[in-house]
Amino acid sequence: MSKAPLDWIKLELMPLPGATGREAKVLWWNPEARIIEGEGREEVLALAEAATQAGSLQTGSGGSVEITDPLHQPSELAAVLAQYYWVIPQPVAAPGEEVELESETTPVLLN
């Protein structure tokens, strides 16, 4: 039996070493609706807006990522957040819900 895809992604953000002034936070993101909820959402929205205005970001490997719609594109939001945080994404049904991992499932770090 297949499950319906989940609309929301729980984002656990852990500050990178040297990311001064950043605190751990948990947010919920719906990429289709371009919504971010949770404490610290204003900071993430500001980071996304600044990256969109800049048009691109430098990656740690010396390349760059074009930023056009980070609230809709997972790779773009990952690039924005990876400047300051380790990102642990987990699909969930709704904001505030905890993740129910199946025995064969392992969370993946985006960075």
Side-chain angles (χ1 to χ4, degrees), residues 8 28-37 41 45 71:
W8 290 85
W28 289 270
W29 173 44
N30 182 322
E32 288 303 312
R34 294 175 173 85
I35 297 171
I36 292 182
E37 294 185 4
R41 77 182 279 280
L45 291 173
L71 296 183

Side-chain angles (χ1 to χ4, degrees), residues 7-107:
D7 293 330
W8 290 85
I9 300 171
K10 177 182 177 183
L11 299 173
E12 291 185 54
L13 306 180
M14 303 302 296
L16 294 172
T20 307
R22 307 289 174 183
E23 295 181 8
K25 45 181 88 6
V26 176
L27 301 163
W28 289 270
W29 173 44
N30 182 322
E32 288 303 312
R34 294 175 173 85
I35 297 171
I36 292 182
E37 294 185 4
E39 275 191 51
R41 77 182 279 280
E42 294 81 14
E43 176 191 349
V44 171
L45 291 173
L47 292 172
E49 179 61 26
T52 301
Q53 293 296 320
S56 66
L57 289 175
Q58 297 298 312
T59 65
S61 61
S64 67
V65 175
E66 182 179 8
I67 305 294
T68 59
D69 192 359
L71 296 183
H72 182 64
Q73 299 296 328
S75 61
E76 292 182 19
L77 186 60
V80 169
L81 295 175
Q83 303 289 308
Y84 307 98
Y85 297 98
W86 286 102
V87 181
I88 304 168
Q90 300 171 326
V92 293
E97 288 194 6
E98 289 302 314
V99 180
E100 291 184 25
L101 297 177
E102 295 178 14
S103 62
E104 302 284 324
T105 306
T106 304

